[in-house]
Tab-separated table of all heavy atoms in Angstrom:
chain	number	residue	atom	x	y	z
R	1	ALA	N	-71.499	-56.738	-65.554
R	1	ALA	CA	-70.537	-55.921	-66.285
R	1	ALA	C	-69.235	-56.681	-66.396
R	1	ALA	O	-68.910	-57.501	-65.551
R	1	ALA	CB	-70.312	-54.597	-65.577
R	2	GLU	N	-68.494	-56.384	-67.435
R	2	GLU	CA	-67.161	-56.932	-67.573
R	2	GLU	C	-66.174	-55.777	-67.573
R	2	GLU	O	-66.374	-54.779	-68.252
R	2	GLU	CB	-67.019	-57.741	-68.849
R	2	GLU	CG	-65.664	-58.392	-68.918
R	2	GLU	CD	-65.639	-59.640	-69.755
R	2	GLU	OE1	-66.618	-60.377	-69.757
R	2	GLU	OE2	-64.610	-59.851	-70.403
R	3	CYS	N	-65.122	-55.917	-66.797
R	3	CYS	CA	-64.091	-54.902	-66.699
R	3	CYS	C	-62.755	-55.550	-67.036
R	3	CYS	O	-62.491	-56.670	-66.585
R	3	CYS	CB	-64.065	-54.333	-65.280
R	3	CYS	SG	-62.742	-53.135	-65.026
R	4	ARG	N	-61.938	-54.842	-67.786
R	4	ARG	CA	-60.647	-55.390	-68.204
R	4	ARG	C	-59.606	-54.279	-68.283
R	4	ARG	O	-59.813	-53.293	-68.984
R	4	ARG	CB	-60.817	-56.043	-69.559
R	4	ARG	CG	-59.587	-56.671	-70.088
R	4	ARG	CD	-59.884	-57.439	-71.374
R	4	ARG	NE	-58.664	-57.471	-72.136
R	4	ARG	CZ	-58.556	-57.159	-73.399
R	4	ARG	NH1	-59.611	-56.806	-74.089
R	4	ARG	NH2	-57.406	-57.202	-74.000
R	5	VAL	N	-58.516	-54.426	-67.556
R	5	VAL	CA	-57.371	-53.520	-67.706
R	5	VAL	C	-56.556	-54.066	-68.865
R	5	VAL	O	-56.115	-55.215	-68.839
R	5	VAL	CB	-56.527	-53.466	-66.411
R	5	VAL	CG1	-55.241	-52.692	-66.647
R	5	VAL	CG2	-57.330	-52.834	-65.281
R	6	TRP	N	-56.368	-53.257	-69.908
R	6	TRP	CA	-55.696	-53.767	-71.104
R	6	TRP	C	-54.364	-53.086	-71.403
R	6	TRP	O	-53.632	-53.544	-72.274
R	6	TRP	CB	-56.617	-53.741	-72.310
R	6	TRP	CG	-57.286	-52.439	-72.620
R	6	TRP	CD1	-58.513	-52.020	-72.209
R	6	TRP	CD2	-56.771	-51.375	-73.427
R	6	TRP	NE1	-58.791	-50.768	-72.701
R	6	TRP	CE2	-57.743	-50.352	-73.450
R	6	TRP	CE3	-55.584	-51.188	-74.132
R	6	TRP	CZ2	-57.561	-49.172	-74.158
R	6	TRP	CZ3	-55.404	-50.007	-74.831
R	6	TRP	CH2	-56.391	-49.013	-74.842
R	7	ALA	N	-54.011	-52.044	-70.705
R	7	ALA	CA	-52.676	-51.455	-70.882
R	7	ALA	C	-52.325	-50.638	-69.642
R	7	ALA	O	-53.188	-50.004	-69.041
R	7	ALA	CB	-52.618	-50.559	-72.117
R	8	VAL	N	-51.057	-50.677	-69.278
R	8	VAL	CA	-50.541	-49.906	-68.139
R	8	VAL	C	-49.225	-49.272	-68.569
R	8	VAL	O	-48.368	-49.950	-69.133
R	8	VAL	CB	-50.306	-50.803	-66.901
R	8	VAL	CG1	-49.699	-49.998	-65.761
R	8	VAL	CG2	-51.589	-51.478	-66.467
R	9	GLU	N	-49.075	-47.989	-68.317
R	9	GLU	CA	-47.830	-47.288	-68.615
R	9	GLU	C	-47.272	-46.687	-67.338
R	9	GLU	O	-47.999	-46.023	-66.590
R	9	GLU	CB	-48.076	-46.170	-69.629
R	9	GLU	CG	-48.579	-46.663	-70.959
R	9	GLU	CD	-48.962	-45.535	-71.896
R	9	GLU	OE1	-48.818	-44.346	-71.550
R	9	GLU	OE2	-49.427	-45.857	-72.991
R	10	ASP	N	-46.019	-46.915	-67.082
R	10	ASP	CA	-45.333	-46.312	-65.941
R	10	ASP	C	-44.937	-44.899	-66.344
R	10	ASP	O	-44.148	-44.705	-67.263
R	10	ASP	CB	-44.105	-47.135	-65.576
R	10	ASP	CG	-43.360	-46.599	-64.361
R	10	ASP	OD1	-43.562	-45.425	-63.994
R	10	ASP	OD2	-42.577	-47.358	-63.786
R	11	THR	N	-45.511	-43.900	-65.681
R	11	THR	CA	-45.209	-42.503	-65.996
R	11	THR	C	-44.510	-41.823	-64.821
R	11	THR	O	-44.608	-40.607	-64.655
R	11	THR	CB	-46.492	-41.732	-66.375
R	11	THR	OG1	-47.432	-41.839	-65.301
R	11	THR	CG2	-47.111	-42.276	-67.652
R	12	SER	N	-43.826	-42.607	-64.012
R	12	SER	CA	-43.138	-42.071	-62.834
R	12	SER	C	-42.166	-40.968	-63.231
R	12	SER	O	-41.520	-41.045	-64.275
R	12	SER	CB	-42.372	-43.180	-62.117
R	12	SER	OG	-43.269	-44.152	-61.627
R	13	ALA	N	-42.097	-39.942	-62.372
R	13	ALA	CA	-41.211	-38.802	-62.626
R	13	ALA	C	-40.917	-38.094	-61.312
R	13	ALA	O	-41.752	-38.066	-60.413
R	13	ALA	CB	-41.868	-37.825	-63.596
R	14	GLY	N	-39.755	-37.520	-61.224
R	14	GLY	CA	-39.384	-36.706	-60.073
R	14	GLY	C	-39.512	-37.427	-58.744
R	14	GLY	O	-39.900	-36.821	-57.760
R	15	GLY	N	-39.234	-38.724	-58.735
R	15	GLY	CA	-39.319	-39.497	-57.503
R	15	GLY	C	-40.735	-39.886	-57.116
R	15	GLY	O	-40.942	-40.483	-56.067
R	16	GLN	N	-41.714	-39.562	-57.947
R	16	GLN	CA	-43.106	-39.919	-57.680
R	16	GLN	C	-43.489	-41.132	-58.513
R	16	GLN	O	-43.189	-41.186	-59.705
R	16	GLN	CB	-44.031	-38.760	-58.008
R	16	GLN	CG	-43.762	-37.543	-57.154
R	16	GLN	CD	-44.515	-36.328	-57.657
R	16	GLN	OE1	-44.986	-36.292	-58.780
R	16	GLN	NE2	-44.622	-35.329	-56.808
R	17	ARG	N	-44.164	-42.074	-57.874
R	17	ARG	CA	-44.639	-43.272	-58.574
R	17	ARG	C	-45.979	-42.958	-59.226
R	17	ARG	O	-46.928	-42.604	-58.540
R	17	ARG	CB	-44.762	-44.426	-57.597
R	17	ARG	CG	-43.403	-44.853	-57.061
R	17	ARG	CD	-43.540	-46.102	-56.262
R	17	ARG	NE	-44.342	-47.032	-57.057
R	17	ARG	CZ	-44.184	-48.331	-57.079
R	17	ARG	NH1	-43.284	-48.893	-56.333
R	17	ARG	NH2	-44.939	-49.107	-57.818
R	18	ARG	N	-46.020	-43.067	-60.563
R	18	ARG	CA	-47.229	-42.730	-61.322
R	18	ARG	C	-47.511	-43.808	-62.358
R	18	ARG	O	-46.598	-44.443	-62.866
R	18	ARG	CB	-47.057	-41.399	-62.045
R	18	ARG	CG	-46.761	-40.231	-61.153
R	18	ARG	CD	-46.601	-38.981	-61.974
R	18	ARG	NE	-46.115	-37.865	-61.186
R	18	ARG	CZ	-45.875	-36.674	-61.677
R	18	ARG	NH1	-46.054	-36.428	-62.960
R	18	ARG	NH2	-45.441	-35.707	-60.897
R	19	GLU	N	-48.795	-43.960	-62.679
R	19	GLU	CA	-49.219	-44.873	-63.744
R	19	GLU	C	-50.314	-44.231	-64.576
R	19	GLU	O	-51.099	-43.417	-64.081
R	19	GLU	CB	-49.797	-46.179	-63.169
R	19	GLU	CG	-48.803	-47.205	-62.792
R	19	GLU	CD	-49.440	-48.519	-62.387
R	19	GLU	OE1	-50.681	-48.626	-62.267
R	19	GLU	OE2	-48.666	-49.458	-62.177
R	20	ARG	N	-50.362	-44.668	-65.823
R	20	ARG	CA	-51.474	-44.365	-66.725
R	20	ARG	C	-52.067	-45.730	-67.084
R	20	ARG	O	-51.355	-46.596	-67.576
R	20	ARG	CB	-50.970	-43.638	-67.965
R	20	ARG	CG	-52.072	-43.219	-68.905
R	20	ARG	CD	-51.530	-42.421	-70.072
R	20	ARG	NE	-50.917	-41.186	-69.581
R	20	ARG	CZ	-49.769	-40.691	-70.051
R	20	ARG	NH1	-49.109	-41.301	-70.991
R	20	ARG	NH2	-49.288	-39.567	-69.573
R	21	VAL	N	-53.360	-45.909	-66.793
R	21	VAL	CA	-54.015	-47.201	-66.944
R	21	VAL	C	-55.159	-47.076	-67.943
R	21	VAL	O	-55.935	-46.119	-67.885
R	21	VAL	CB	-54.568	-47.680	-65.574
R	21	VAL	CG1	-55.369	-48.956	-65.723
R	21	VAL	CG2	-53.438	-47.858	-64.582
R	22	PHE	N	-55.261	-48.064	-68.819
R	22	PHE	CA	-56.345	-48.121	-69.801
R	22	PHE	C	-57.164	-49.367	-69.504
R	22	PHE	O	-56.618	-50.468	-69.440
R	22	PHE	CB	-55.791	-48.156	-71.226
R	22	PHE	CG	-55.066	-46.894	-71.578
R	22	PHE	CD1	-53.742	-46.723	-71.227
R	22	PHE	CD2	-55.733	-45.854	-72.209
R	22	PHE	CE1	-53.070	-45.538	-71.513
R	22	PHE	CE2	-55.069	-44.667	-72.494
R	22	PHE	CZ	-53.742	-44.515	-72.148
R	23	ALA	N	-58.454	-49.172	-69.286
R	23	ALA	CA	-59.349	-50.274	-68.967
R	23	ALA	C	-60.617	-50.122	-69.789
R	23	ALA	O	-60.944	-49.027	-70.252
R	23	ALA	CB	-59.692	-50.262	-67.471
R	24	SER	N	-61.328	-51.224	-69.968
R	24	SER	CA	-62.615	-51.149	-70.651
R	24	SER	C	-63.682	-51.773	-69.769
R	24	SER	O	-63.411	-52.664	-68.966
R	24	SER	CB	-62.571	-51.840	-72.014
R	24	SER	OG	-62.322	-53.219	-71.862
């Protein structure tokens, strides 16, 4: 299998560290 993370968005809010990750 091939895996690739192709986009990452920092969605941090209210002092919480958050991410939205797009991978294929």
Side-chain angles (χ1 to χ4, degrees):
E2 185 154 325
C3 176
R4 181 174 154 229
V5 172
W6 53 267
V8 177
E9 298 174 2
D10 182 342
T11 57
S12 296
Q16 298 170 343
R17 294 188 48 145
R18 301 180 189 179
E19 277 187 353
R20 183 176 297 139
V21 175
F22 295 84
S24 64

